[in-house]
Amino acid sequence: MSEEQKKQLEKQLWAIANLLRGKMDADDYRNYILGFIFFKYLSEKLHLYADEILEPDNITYEQIDENTADGKLYIDAVKKACIKNLGYFLKPSELFTSIAQKGNNLSDIQTNDNDEATQFFIIEDLEHILNNIEQSTMGTDSEDDFIRLFEDLDLTSSKLGKTVKAKNEIIAKIITHLDEIDFQLQDTESDLLGDAYEYLIGEFAAGAGKKAGEFYTPQEVSTILAKIVTTRKKRIKSVYDPTCGSGSLLLRVAKEVDDVGMFYGQELNRTTYNLARMNMILHEVHYSKFDIKQEDTLEEPQHLDIDLKAEAIVANPPFSANWSAKGIFSTDDRFSQYGKLAPKTKADFAFVQHMVHHLDENGIMATVLPHGVLFRGSAEGHIRRYLIEDRNYIDAVIGLPANIFFGTSIPTCILVLKKCREANEDVLFIDASNHFEKQGNQNKLLPEHIAEITNTYANREVKDKYSYRATLQEIADNDYNLNIPRYVDTFEEEEPIDINAVAEEIQALDIEIAETDKRIASYCAELNIKTPF
């Protein structure tokens, strides 16, 4: 699949969003566009699979008559296979193409004297079909992954139009345009649609402004985290993201290795949680290979019961979020050993403690955090010291450029932690804060910047004004303050100033000014007017 085809698909999908842009804000039209793309994906995936099952009988899924006895037998057989292997089911009349064809005929719709539609095929049919997808999973292993998956696709919202007819028309337009796009799902080696879906999520995040930071990690940062936790690995037994957003970070890890055994995630926001499940399925992650839950990670952790110990953990938790820090957490296994809880107004270290709890003995975790975690005192200083002095878990500290996240210019860093470190006598510091390209209002990490960070980490290289390996004693001497400038000197000396040369320049200027004044005075005398000085 060429890069050109990928760009073309992204362009086509983004153009469809224009149908809704202006009617509603980015958050809302994101839910519609991504929801319809997902429905089309489910439909085409099932259509291809059903045709494959029916090939020996020399018929296609669309040719089955749902009202005949033979047709019902075929559908029952296809349904069993689909539920087992895909996790959901759609009848031939519920395929995306079928509903799009009905949408094409919407111009013939009958209206009453008030120009209101008297038949509403698209909305009613779509609601029925989306509901049937969920119903088909009830009582099966895939139920948790599909339940209320389409709840953000509100087909009755007034944002779609003032009248039912207007809503039908806009939905029909979107579906018709989508139906014209070939997702090329028959090419099993390609992740064309998955990449395009990720592109749209990123574009919607950029358009959503400050709120976007809650669910989207820039692709460049995701790549750095993924490359770090997969250093010298081809397979990962399990990967976990406790604030998984749309699931982009988990999927990025999968791109760096040949196989990931199991994906675990938790997300507080219901809409983003739905997006993460769709994103997983769209990237061909089988429903049995991901376990994503919705709840508050710190207050209501969802993976304690299974005693999750992940081989890789990646995260971009909300920066300095509030949490309850209730006394009961002092006896929680995730926090009790540290002796102090993270402050109520800064949950950064609470997330770190949560992740450390779920990290396997031979695992590695990489998380984005605000710079403050490196030097703030009180409880945070106590926890930081415990992680270094008592546990020796901190493997590397990487400073990132400011202004690389949507909606915030806050400087950030990446903390890398391991329970069993290979190089356990020092901590690697990398200062990449000045290595970026400015693009508009944002700073961007280019591939060469990413490669320099990940290669420096993998080889634990020391580079002048870029990286340094600080011994544990040096860190102790700095009172466990991990602020990067204490260890990586990026100070650039200025060129020495020749004072004598500067004095000569000033003298020359004085002479030039005096000569100019003299000329002006002579002109004024010739004109018989006063000099201006």
Side-chain angles (χ1 to χ4, degrees):
M1 194 60 57
S2 71
E3 190 65 22
E4 190 179 336
Q5 287 172 303
K6 181 181 162 188
K7 294 283 180 196
Q8 181 62 24
L9 178 59
E10 290 172 354
K11 192 176 171 184
Q12 287 175 303
L13 293 176
W14 187 240
I16 294 172
N18 280 327
L19 296 172
L20 292 176
R21 198 174 293 127
K23 283 178 175 287
M24 54 189 78
D25 63 32
D27 273 355
D28 288 321
Y29 68 76
R30 174 198 67 196
N31 295 337
Y32 287 106
I33 298 299
L34 296 181
F36 285 132
I37 291 173
F38 184 64
F39 168 42
K40 177 175 161 70
Y41 166 82
L42 290 181
S43 171
E44 293 196 359
K45 188 78 181 170
L46 184 138
H47 196 168
L48 285 171
Y49 182 62
D51 281 350
E52 190 181 315
I53 295 171
L54 296 168
E55 192 174 5
D57 291 357
N58 203 29
I59 58 171
T60 66
Y61 196 45
E62 279 178 302
Q63 291 171 338
I64 293 176
D65 185 342
E66 297 174 28
N67 298 315
T68 66
D70 283 348
K72 287 176 181 173
L73 284 175
Y74 273 123
I75 288 174
D76 281 345
V78 171
K79 182 176 181 179
K80 283 179 186 173
C82 287
I83 293 293
K84 182 180 177 184
N85 294 297
L86 302 181
Y88 64 95
F89 175 69
L90 284 164
K91 289 190 284 192
S93 58
E94 296 172 335
L95 293 174
F96 191 92
T97 302
S98 303
I99 201 78
Q101 285 169 356
K102 285 188 179 180
N104 278 330
N105 297 325
L106 198 63
S107 57
D108 300 329
I109 196 166
Q110 296 178 356
T111 56
N112 59 22
D113 293 340
N114 296 322
D115 196 31
E116 292 173 336
T118 55
Q119 298 167 290
F120 312 120
F121 295 116
I122 298 295
I123 289 180
E124 287 186 355
D125 286 347
L126 264 177
E127 285 182 330
H128 183 68
I129 291 168
L130 298 180
N131 186 50
N132 279 355
I133 292 174
E134 284 188 31
Q135 289 297 321
S136 72
T137 69
M138 293 296 172
T140 72
D141 293 340
S142 61
E143 180 178 347
D144 286 348
D145 301 314
F146 283 86
I147 190 163
R148 295 194 291 279
L149 196 52
F150 294 102
E151 65 185 353
D152 295 306
L153 205 60
D154 183 2
L155 300 174
T156 60
S157 171
S158 59
K159 293 174 182 175
L160 289 169
K162 289 182 180 176
T163 65
V164 177
K165 183 186 176 190
K167 292 171 193 169
N168 270 279
E169 285 175 348
I170 191 69
I171 291 170
K173 272 187 188 175
I174 294 170
I175 288 177
T176 302
H177 280 75
L178 272 177
D179 195 46
E180 291 167 357
I181 299 175
D182 182 4
F183 282 179
Q184 302 187 36
L185 298 185
Q186 65 276 17
D187 182 357
T188 55
E189 298 299 314
S190 167
D191 195 15
L192 183 71
L193 182 62
D195 287 344
Y197 204 71
E198 280 287 302
Y199 164 81
L200 288 180
I201 291 173
E203 290 297 300
F204 286 127
K210 191 174 181 181
K211 287 185 293 181
E214 295 173 5
F215 72 90
Y216 189 72
T217 305
Q219 204 173 82
E220 303 84 37
V221 178
S222 297
T223 302
I224 293 171
L225 296 176
K227 283 184 179 293
I228 286 174
V229 300
T230 57
T231 302
R232 288 184 276 279
K233 289 183 179 179
K234 290 187 176 179
R235 288 182 171 74
I236 294 283
K237 188 172 63 179
S238 54
V239 60
Y240 172 53
D241 182 347
T243 53
C244 68
S246 60
S248 299
L249 255 174
L250 292 169
L251 291 164
R252 183 59 54 180
V253 172
K255 283 184 180 291
E256 298 295 330
V257 290
D258 295 337
D259 182 51
V260 173
M262 190 71 189
F263 298 83
Y264 294 94
Q266 187 166 335
E267 171 56 36
L268 174 61
N269 182 288
R270 182 78 196 179
T271 297
T272 316
Y273 160 69
N274 289 337
L275 198 58
R277 291 186 294 166
M278 290 184 194
N279 209 4
M280 283 286 151
I281 294 168
L282 252 161
H283 280 83
E284 303 285 338
V285 179
H286 193 263
Y287 68 85
S288 63
K289 289 185 69 174
F290 69 87
D291 176 5
I292 294 179
K293 306 288 189 189
Q294 192 240 328
E295 257 306 345
D296 186 310
T297 297
L298 298 179
E299 311 285 343
E300 298 289 343
Q302 297 294 300
H303 294 97
L304 288 181
D305 291 346
I306 62 170
D307 195 24
L308 170 63
K309 298 295 179 190
E311 184 178 350
I313 298 179
V314 283
N316 174 25
F319 300 147
S320 301
N322 292 330
W323 76 304
S324 72
K326 289 183 289 192
I328 193 171
F329 286 127
S330 298
T331 57
D332 188 309
D333 286 346
R334 296 173 294 164
F335 313 112
S336 59
Q337 60 187 297
Y338 296 84
K340 288 192 177 181
L341 295 173
K344 281 184 180 180
T345 55
K346 292 181 179 63
D348 305 307
F349 267 114
F351 282 109
V352 171
Q353 292 167 312
H354 172 90
M355 286 184 263
V356 167
H357 177 79
H358 282 300
L359 185 65
D360 194 30
E361 285 300 314
N362 293 313
I364 175 172
M365 61 176 262
T367 178
V368 181
L369 294 163
H371 259 207
V373 301
L374 301 178
F375 53 79
R376 289 195 295 248
S378 301
E380 292 178 283
H382 177 87
I383 295 167
R384 190 169 59 241
R385 178 171 182 161
Y386 181 84
L387 285 168
I388 301 167
E389 186 178 43
D390 290 65
R391 293 295 175 182
N392 195 11
Y393 284 169
I394 296 183
D395 196 45
V397 180
I398 302 168
L400 297 174
N403 208 24
I404 56 173
F405 286 85
F406 293 119
T408 177
S409 59
I410 188 173
T412 53
C413 64
I414 295 173
L415 274 193
V416 184
L417 283 83
K418 289 179 175 178
K419 287 185 176 175
C420 296
R421 300 205 295 137
E422 299 88 352
N424 61 4
E425 294 180 350
D426 56 50
V427 174
L428 177 67
F429 287 82
I430 298 175
D431 187 349
S433 59
N434 295 319
H435 297 245
F436 61 86
E437 181 178 275
K438 192 160 185 60
Q439 295 182 4
N441 295 327
Q442 295 289 126
N443 293 331
K444 290 280 184 185
L445 291 166
L446 301 181
E448 56 264 35
H449 302 136
I450 295 170
E452 186 166 17
I453 291 172
T454 54
N455 290 337
T456 302
Y457 170 75
N459 300 316
R460 296 187 79 77
E461 292 177 88
V462 174
K463 297 179 179 175
D464 187 35
K465 301 189 184 305
Y466 187 72
S467 61
Y468 180 72
R469 289 167 63 174
T471 64
L472 297 178
Q473 186 57 52
E474 281 181 270
I475 294 171
D477 290 345
N478 274 304
D479 198 22
Y480 298 95
N481 184 323
L482 298 179
N483 202 17
I484 298 170
R486 290 187 178 230
Y487 305 96
V488 183
D489 180 11
T490 57
F491 179 75
E492 296 284 351
E493 289 190 11
E494 293 182 4
E495 289 282 326
I497 298 172
D498 185 340
I499 298 295
N500 290 330
V502 172
E504 286 174 6
E505 283 178 20
I506 293 172
Q507 287 173 354
L509 281 172
D510 286 343
I511 292 170
E512 194 177 328
I513 290 169
E515 288 177 351
T516 303
D517 287 349
K518 196 175 172 182
R519 267 201 308 279
I520 293 171
S522 69
Y523 294 151
C524 289
E526 287 177 18
L527 295 169
N528 197 27
I529 58 175
K530 285 185 177 179
T531 57
F533 45 83

